[in-house]
């Protein structure tokens, strides 16, 4: 059956897969919800988005994104609030980052109207897929990729905008073991590090695979010139409690402007015992802080990872064992604040919650 919701055509699946999902045991990205939203860009404009059953798309192997890398995505979440409402967290901030990424890759941007109505339509259609278990949510993956079929090296004239979703639990159950990278580079200043483009992730696989073989979960990336300053983890931003202050690398063109990072820095102002320092952070001061006992916390911040404790930071082959974060730690306090705000257990003075109309 095809219906129309605020000018978006919706074709519902006849074969829901929701009964295949064990909502008590959600593996990140495994079960993609029943529907996807698709819009096509051609002749200088976006066409009307439509919701349809999730599935294959007909394309040739000559589409430009596969060859020259014009592919940009976002990662955001919808939460089932305590009163049963569905809350999409900070869609405006995600759109602003999405459009910055798209501009960097010479791709067409998305208007606020198209973004919000698309999100409304896909989440409303798959509302039963929004889990209500502790720590779970519906991960939302918007994507734009070049779809023009041609081999010449050029900016594509055609694109597809797709939104897919999947129910998720915690990204990784265990605290992270990170290796500080002193050889490979994720990106350089002036490159695409701040953009959420596919190539940033593809290029990180090889060094990450080496780190995994050495017993680590992820790489902690450093600056491309000297490997002296800490950038981010690639999957998430990084934060420390050093000398009693919350310290995080300041944004530059090599670091993703994380929405969770920004939310934590805002909420930190409500936890007055911890002063915020956004600045360049050296590998050396992390090592020295550990030796002196003034490095008391390290954690990652990301949409998928949320607030993720770091257990080990390996610098030049030496493991620094970071203390376990207790209930009065900054990370536990801020995680609770973020959770309470998103679930509607505390007020939302920042206007971050976007309630889906059902
Ligand atoms: C996110 O946190 O949304 C990410 O993009 C990390 C990863 C799942 C790609």
């Amino acid at each position: 059956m095809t219906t129309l919701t605020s000018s978006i055509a919706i074709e519902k699946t006849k074969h829901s897969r929701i009964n295949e999902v064990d909502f008590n045991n959600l593996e990140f990205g495994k079960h993609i919800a029943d529907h996807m939203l698709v819009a096509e860009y051609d002749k200088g404009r976006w066409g009307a988005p439509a919701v349809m059953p999730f599935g294959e798309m007909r394309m040739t192997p000559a589409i430009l994104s596969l060859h020259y890398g014009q592919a940009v995505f976002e990662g955001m979440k919808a939460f089932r609030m305590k009163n049963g409402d569905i809350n999409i967290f900070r869609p405006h901030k995600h759109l602003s980052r999405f459009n910055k990424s798209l501009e960097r890759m010479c791709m067409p941007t998305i208007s606020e109207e198209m973004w919000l109505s698309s999100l409304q339509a896909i989440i409303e259609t798959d509302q039963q897929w929004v889990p209500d278990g502790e720590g779970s949510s519906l991960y939302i993956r918007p994507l734009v990729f070049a779809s023009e079929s041609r081999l010449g090296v050029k900016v594509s004239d055609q694109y597809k905008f797709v939104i897919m979703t999947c129910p998720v639990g915690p990204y990784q159950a265990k605290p992270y073991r990170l290796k500080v990278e002193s050889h490979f580079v994720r990106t350089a200043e002036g490159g695409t590090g701040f953009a959420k483009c596919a190539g940033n992730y593809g290029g990180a696989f090889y060094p990450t695979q080496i780190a995994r073989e050495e017993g680590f979960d992820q790489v902690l990336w450093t600056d491309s010139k000297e490997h002296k300053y800490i950038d981010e983890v690639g999957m998430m931003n990084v934060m420390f409690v050093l000398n009693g202050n919350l310290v995080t690398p300041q944004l530059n063109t090599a670091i993703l402007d994380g929405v969770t990072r920004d939310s934590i820095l805002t909420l930190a102002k409500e936890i007055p015992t911890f002063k915020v320092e956004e600045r360049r952070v050296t590998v050396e001061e992390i090592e020295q802080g550990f030796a002196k006992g003034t490095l008391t916390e390290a954690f990652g911040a990301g949409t998928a990872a949320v607030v993720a404790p770091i257990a080990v930071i390996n610098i030049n082959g030496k493991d620094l064992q970071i203390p376990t974060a207790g209930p009065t730690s900054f990370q536990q306090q801020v995680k609770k604040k973020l959770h309470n705000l998103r679930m509607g257990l505390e007020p939302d003075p920042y206007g971050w919650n976007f309630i889906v109309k059902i």
Side-chain angles (χ1 to χ4, degrees), residues 28 73-76 139 141 171 196 201 234-235 302-305:
F28 190 95
F73 68 93
E74 262 304 315
M76 49 202 291
Y139 184 79
R141 173 53 64 83
Y171 193 83
K196 217 162 165 57
Y201 295 81
M235 283 269 309
T303 297

Side-chain angles (χ1 to χ4, degrees), residues 30-232:
K30 184 171 172 191
H31 292 286
I32 299 187
D34 283 333
H35 299 90
M36 61 184 176
L37 177 135
V38 180
E40 307 212 357
Y41 181 95
D42 194 15
K43 300 190 173 56
R45 59 180 290 275
W46 283 109
V51 171
M52 58 193 72
F54 174 77
E56 293 171 7
M57 301 172 110
R58 281 177 64 90
M59 270 166 290
T60 81
I63 60 167
L64 287 166
S65 52
L66 294 179
H67 303 261
Y68 310 123
Q70 278 184 297
V72 158
F73 68 93
E74 262 304 315
M76 49 202 291
K77 278 180 173 171
F79 297 87
R80 177 79 64 184
M81 298 172 97
K82 284 291 170 225
N83 66 0
D85 282 352
I86 298 172
N87 165 28
I88 302 177
F89 189 64
R90 303 195 72 179
H92 296 89
K93 173 87 178 149
H94 280 284
L95 175 63
S96 148
R97 185 174 69 182
F98 199 31
N99 281 338
K100 279 184 197 147
S101 304
L102 290 165
E103 275 166 12
R104 178 63 179 81
M105 300 302 289
C106 285
M107 298 164 74
T109 56
I110 306 283
S111 71
E112 183 178 309
E113 202 279 321
M114 177 171 165
W115 179 248
L116 295 178
S117 58
S118 297
L119 287 168
Q120 164 70 37
I122 189 68
I123 303 301
E124 187 184 349
T125 308
D126 277 332
Q127 56 184 277
Q128 282 159 331
W129 287 76
V130 183
D132 59 6
E134 187 67 27
S136 61
S137 57
L138 189 73
Y139 184 79
I140 306 172
R141 173 53 64 83
L143 164 76
V144 175
F145 63 94
S147 53
E148 183 180 347
S149 182
R150 181 183 283 250
L151 291 182
V153 183
K154 70 181 280 281
V155 170
S156 182
D157 286 329
Q158 290 161 347
Y159 298 87
K160 284 189 199 294
F161 170 50
V162 182
I163 305 181
M164 300 159 268
T165 68
C166 62
V168 296
Y171 193 83
Q172 174 172 308
K174 296 188 287 92
Y176 281 79
R177 293 173 53 82
L178 302 181
K179 173 188 170 186
V180 173
E181 186 57 65
S182 55
H183 174 64
F184 293 104
V185 166
R186 171 177 172 269
T187 175
E189 278 262 43
T192 58
F194 71 95
K196 217 162 165 57
C197 57
N200 289 346
Y201 295 81
F205 282 155
Y206 181 68
T208 304
Q209 192 169 292
I210 294 173
R212 289 232 167 100
E213 282 162 13
E214 293 168 353
F216 303 101
D217 299 306
Q218 295 283 328
V219 167
L220 181 50
W221 298 103
T222 50
D223 73 280
S224 61
K225 278 195 196 139
E226 302 174 88
H227 295 292
K228 181 173 166 188
Y229 299 99
I230 289 174
D231 277 354
E232 60 152 290

